[in-house]
Amino acid sequence: MHKPGRTSLAARLTRTLILSVGAIWLLCVLAVVWYVDREISFNFDNELVEVSHRMFDIAVEQYDSLSGGKKPEQPLVAPAPLFIQDEVVYQMVDGGTRLLLHSSNARPDYFDVPLAPGFADTPDWRIYTVRHPTRDLYLQVADPISERREAVDRTLFGLMVPLITALPLLGLVLWRIARHELRPLQTLADEIASRSSTDLRPIELAGLPHELRSVCDDVNHLLERLAQALNVERALAANAAHELRTPLAAARLRLQTALDHGLSRQDVQAALDSLRQLSHRAEKLLQLSRAESGAALARRPVDLVKLAGAVAEEFWQDARAAERLTLHVPEETMSPVQGDVDALAIGLRNLIENALRYAPEGAVELEVVAPRTVLVRDSGPGVAPDKLQALRERHVRQTDDRTGYGLGLSIVTTIAEHQGAELQLLSPPPGRARGFEARLSMPG
């Protein structure tokens, strides 16, 4: 149903088409009027010229016959010729404009035009004047303009009646065409309106025109982004329930034990460690949610050397991490890469945290390699080759007593996908007998 006060697209399109076609039709009618008037006038003029030349010899013979070779004092009235159905209005004058002969239906005021060969007009008559080739005589033939107007009116009436009658039919045809051609648009609108918040499947409609296909593709992209956002929301809830349940239970248990035993320092410290672990996991879950949603990921020039230095500075503030983490950068100047500096910093932090945790006693190296690669390498026990791919999945731990490369590598993998980068996991690193290396290569 259409809402009150709103016209349908079919009605607007029909109205626009009718007005446009009507304007073109009116221009065509004016052109037809001009052409018909011109052609009818041309035909009447040709007929008038033909009659004038034929009548000249007849008028001269009538004048010679009636005058008997003498110049009469009064103009002579010529009888109508038998071979012409309608009596022609004419008069014959000499070079001195003296009226010699005229038809019985002619009056002097009909020929109130200059005496010169060719056409001349009065308000009611079209006059054609022709001069005799050998004698000083002029014949003027008059044709009533009203006859021309009547001929134009009859012709235009015969043309206009079908054209005007066709206008309503044309409007109906345009309306039906508009509704028929806009039917796919209504089908697309109905399909979009039928989707609920839980039905985010792509819209598949066959036979859509190019313009509506573009709209349908854009709507499908929007549905895909909405589905992704809902999936991220559900994943965050599932991850939070999965990851926070154990730290919360441990913190409650430690605090309850501390209360039962007079708040011993050991139990309070254990509860504090559980809360610290809870905070750390909550931060990881938020990082994972941000990475999976792809929210606010920019594409700006990023200096990998400066980025690695800033991330290393954060870890060097911890004395234990500062003793183990070293930074290696190339001597030559590197060109910036395109990416999101915050997302890349989160990825590097997770790689370094995992390396520090997984190799608790060994050195950890953060290295920038030309032209656009940054890697984190540790000297820990490493990972079996058949388990490298599994480390990218969520909640996968290398051992039961450590978090390992589970959630952190899942975050890095997601960030790499959104940044168009490539994440390589190597164990052991090239040229070494043991250890683990995560290599993040940015796109060119």
Side-chain angles (χ1 to χ4, degrees):
M1 294 180 63
H2 300 296
K3 294 183 178 180
R6 296 185 180 181
T7 58
S8 66
L9 182 58
R12 293 173 58 185
L13 182 59
T14 302
R15 182 171 62 250
T16 302
L17 288 175
I18 290 177
L19 292 177
S20 301
V21 173
I24 297 175
W25 176 88
L26 182 60
L27 292 177
C28 293
V29 167
L30 295 177
V32 168
V33 170
W34 172 82
Y35 180 77
V36 168
D37 181 73
R38 177 177 174 273
E39 288 298 310
I40 289 180
S41 296
F42 179 77
N43 292 333
F44 269 80
D45 286 345
N46 285 341
E47 184 180 354
L48 184 59
V49 171
E50 181 181 353
V51 170
S52 299
H53 286 281
R54 292 169 59 188
M55 284 298 302
F56 209 164
D57 292 335
I58 297 174
V60 171
E61 293 179 0
Q62 289 178 343
Y63 174 73
D64 291 339
S65 174
L66 293 174
S67 65
K70 299 179 181 180
K71 290 185 178 182
E73 296 180 358
Q74 297 294 330
L76 301 177
V77 178
L82 298 177
F83 60 87
I84 296 181
Q85 183 176 1
D86 297 326
E87 187 175 358
V88 179
V89 180
Y90 70 93
Q91 69 177 16
M92 187 172 64
V93 297
D94 58 16
T97 67
R98 179 172 177 267
L99 181 60
L100 303 178
L101 178 71
H102 63 85
S103 61
S104 59
N105 55 355
R107 295 192 328 203
D109 58 324
Y110 291 175
F111 303 92
D112 188 14
V113 295
L115 186 62
F119 289 98
D121 293 325
T122 67
D124 298 320
W125 298 89
R126 176 81 164 166
I127 311 298
Y128 181 72
T129 303
V130 60
R131 183 176 181 179
H132 197 277
T134 59
R135 301 172 62 176
D136 189 19
L137 297 174
Y138 292 87
L139 180 69
Q140 293 179 308
V141 181
D143 185 37
I145 294 179
S146 59
E147 292 185 0
R148 300 175 179 233
R149 292 173 181 170
E150 292 176 0
V152 172
D153 293 341
R154 287 195 304 271
T155 304
L156 292 179
F157 181 79
L159 291 174
M160 292 300 105
V161 169
L163 291 177
I164 295 175
T165 306
L167 276 179
L169 179 62
L170 178 62
L172 177 61
V173 171
L174 291 177
W175 179 76
R176 293 183 64 86
I177 291 176
R179 287 185 58 87
H180 179 270
E181 294 300 324
L182 292 177
R183 190 173 300 167
L185 179 60
Q186 185 62 43
T187 303
L188 177 60
D190 295 339
E191 185 68 20
I192 295 174
S194 65
R195 295 304 175 93
S196 63
S197 58
T198 58
D199 186 7
L200 299 178
R201 294 175 294 107
I203 297 175
E204 298 293 341
L205 293 177
L208 289 179
H210 174 71
E211 294 79 5
L212 290 185
R213 173 55 58 188
S214 300
V215 174
C216 185
D217 292 341
D218 292 338
V219 171
N220 286 336
H221 292 327
L222 176 60
L223 292 176
E224 182 180 357
R225 291 194 295 270
L226 290 175
Q228 182 182 1
L230 289 176
N231 291 335
V232 169
E233 182 181 351
R234 297 189 187 103
L236 177 60
N239 292 335
H242 181 274
E243 289 291 331
L244 302 182
R245 184 184 301 110
T246 300
L248 284 174
R252 288 198 306 268
L253 179 61
R254 295 293 184 179
L255 290 174
Q256 185 63 44
T257 302
L259 288 174
D260 294 340
H261 292 80
L263 295 177
S264 65
R265 181 177 180 82
Q266 181 180 1
D267 290 334
V268 173
Q269 184 62 42
L272 183 61
D273 292 340
S274 297
L275 291 176
R276 186 180 298 109
Q277 184 183 10
L278 175 62
S279 175
H280 184 267
R281 291 194 179 184
E283 179 184 358
K284 293 296 181 184
L285 290 174
L286 292 176
Q287 290 178 359
L288 179 62
S289 177
R290 182 181 186 273
E292 288 182 338
S293 66
L297 290 182
R299 286 292 185 273
R300 298 187 179 91
V302 178
D303 190 331
L304 290 181
V305 174
K306 292 183 178 180
L307 174 64
V311 174
E313 285 287 346
E314 296 179 10
F315 286 93
W316 286 339
Q317 294 178 7
D318 186 346
R320 291 175 298 179
E323 295 176 355
R324 300 174 54 200
L325 178 62
T326 57
L327 173 63
H328 304 282
V329 297
E331 296 181 357
E332 66 273 14
T333 302
M334 292 179 55
S335 301
V337 298
Q338 294 293 321
D340 186 283
V341 62
D342 293 332
L344 294 176
I346 291 174
L348 287 182
R349 290 191 197 99
N350 279 276
L351 292 178
I352 296 174
E353 288 176 357
N354 286 342
L356 292 173
R357 185 180 301 111
Y358 189 71
E361 303 298 334
V364 176
E365 301 174 46
L366 174 60
E367 183 176 356
V368 181
V369 181
R372 48 184 174 271
T373 301
V374 60
L375 60 89
V376 177
R377 184 188 303 116
D378 65 52
S379 55
V383 180
D386 58 341
K387 295 182 178 180
L388 285 176
Q389 186 62 32
L391 293 180
R392 301 172 183 265
E393 299 177 5
R394 199 177 302 163
H395 306 308
V396 174
R397 296 178 172 87
Q398 172 61 15
T399 60
D400 294 336
D401 57 341
R402 298 189 185 95
T403 303
Y405 295 92
L407 196 58
L409 277 183
S410 175
I411 295 172
V412 178
T413 300
T414 304
I415 290 175
E417 291 176 354
H418 283 287
Q419 296 289 301
E422 180 184 4
L423 176 63
Q424 294 178 294
L425 304 180
L426 306 172
S427 182
R432 300 196 179 189
R434 55 178 291 169
F436 184 89
E437 179 177 302
R439 181 182 293 261
L440 188 63
S441 301
M442 298 298 295

